Amino acid sequence: LDRLRFGGFGDLGAAEDPPKTMALGSVCGIDEFSSGGQTYVAVASGCQLLEDNAEHLGNDTCASAGALPSAAEGCGAECCRVLLREGAVGDWDFSADSMYGEQRTNYPNVTCGASGCVYRRSRLQTPSCSEAAETRVGPASFRDRTGVLGAAML
């Protein structure tokens, strides 16, 4: 499957309108589901690691990659990959492996250690809410592979 076609974008009925074709690019999952008698399509994208995705190679930022101090003359796509590595301030891999191990965060109520991050808060005791126990969620984050912004919290 290399494209997804939609109909019904013009003034005519869906069957008579020319289809709208969209490139799938980095789509890595597609499924259909029904709700209320209507059929929908759910699409997941961004499943590739940042350095494995080539869609950025044609943009204007990538065209200026040759000006980087670390760029070699005429390095083309490799310059853009260097720009991606040097310029990214956050890169989160949302895999299970990325939830564990040493991480850094600036979030309140979150502690991080060698096994990952844990969110913890005291139980709420208000007139409208009386929780029986504290809230504890762990693992509670995904590691930032750049180390700049810190872990993404759930």
Side-chain angles (χ1 to χ4, degrees):
L1 181 66
D2 62 355
R3 64 183 177 178
L4 180 61
R5 295 174 62 118
F6 295 96
F9 287 90
D11 295 331
L12 305 172
E16 293 85 21
D17 281 337
K20 182 174 184 177
T21 302
M22 304 175 79
L24 289 179
S26 63
V27 170
C28 54
I30 188 168
D31 201 0
E32 70 177 56
F33 65 95
S34 297
S35 177
Q38 296 287 322
T39 301
Y40 300 93
V41 175
V43 179
S45 68
C47 303
Q48 295 172 310
L49 294 176
L50 196 55
E51 63 268 15
D52 293 337
N53 185 306
E55 290 182 0
H56 62 280
L57 294 176
N59 69 25
D60 291 341
T61 303
C62 195
S64 66
L68 286 174
S70 58
E73 185 66 33
C75 64
E78 184 51 35
C79 280
C80 196
R81 288 187 181 90
V82 169
L83 175 66
L84 196 59
R85 285 190 301 271
E86 291 179 0
V89 295
D91 180 11
W92 299 274
D93 174 8
F94 293 102
S95 68
D97 288 346
S98 187
M99 298 176 82
Y100 300 94
E102 198 65 44
Q103 300 184 43
R104 182 184 65 76
T105 184
N106 296 316
Y107 286 91
N109 301 329
V110 177
T111 56
C112 296
S115 60
C117 297
V118 175
Y119 170 84
R120 187 179 271 125
R121 72 162 170 76
S122 310
R123 66 187 182 128
L124 291 177
Q125 294 294 309
T126 67
S128 61
C129 179
S130 182
E131 294 178 334
E134 75 171 6
T135 299
R136 182 188 183 285
V137 179
S141 62
F142 293 94
R143 183 180 312 101
D144 174 14
R145 294 174 359 129
T146 68
V148 178
L149 288 180
M153 304 308 297
L154 298 176

